[in-house]
Amino acid sequence: MHPDDPSAQKLTDARPTTLSDDAVSTERTIGRHRAPEPPRRPLLGSTPVRVALATGVTCCLSLVAVATARGNDDTSRTVEPLAEAVADRAAIADERASRSLDRDVAPARILPSPTATPTPAPTPTAVRKAPKKPVKPRRPRPVAGLDQAQMDNAKIIVDVGVEMKMPRRALVVALATAMQESNLYNLASDVLPESAEYPNQGSGSDHDSVGLFQQRPSSGWGTVAQLMRPSYAARAFYSALNEIPGWQDMSVTGAAQAVQISAYPDAYAQHEDRATTVAAALTA
């Protein structure tokens, strides 16, 4: 049929001028010229969804706050009875302590200062060594046929002479005199019982003569106690020798006799050689 045919045109005019909703939907779906779909709004952009999310967050925060409040309430309930119990115990302790009038006061506790200088450790006490015992001087070895006691007395005579700065010849004169008078022994006297009260190495009976040089207290040489000391007797002899003019030029016998004024002036000469040997040994 040709489109210009009137009948065709009538048929066309007989069609409804408006399409139903179903026809439009069908045409949009299956038609060749399908209309574009309207844009979709995002889910979170929807107002109802936003309201729902806000409501949910508010509920969650409310639940957390309630739980926290309950936890704090429970903690405070637990702490309060504990504090009350500690206070009760302290009150009981104070009450018990107050019942005694003679209780000891507890010393205050001193806390160390953070800036205080630390106390140095005590230095160990040094071990004190026991004082050494004084060393006894070595006894001289006897020479010239003398025994140890004679040699000890000879050393005293020589030591006193050296101390007084007497020459070697004076030492020989003094040794020869003591050899003749007492044979170099410190003798007491049977005439003077007092002399036996002091250390001695025998006794003699020549008047009141005592000691190494047989000096007599009655002649002014000294007291018995003094003359029984070998060092005092030797000093007294050297002092008397120094008072004799020119004794250095005299023989050993002459010098000894000038001091002793003995009844046997020539007796001292026999001891000169031994006295010289002993003096040399003790001054070497």
Side-chain angles (χ1 to χ4, degrees), residues 89-101 103:
R89 290 183 181 179
I92 294 172
D94 292 340
E95 182 179 358
R96 289 178 180 175
S98 64
R99 293 174 185 171
S100 176
L101 296 177
R103 63 183 181 276

Side-chain angles (χ1 to χ4, degrees), residues 110-127:
I110 301 175
L111 297 177
S113 175
T115 58
T117 304
T119 304
T123 304
T125 305
V127 179

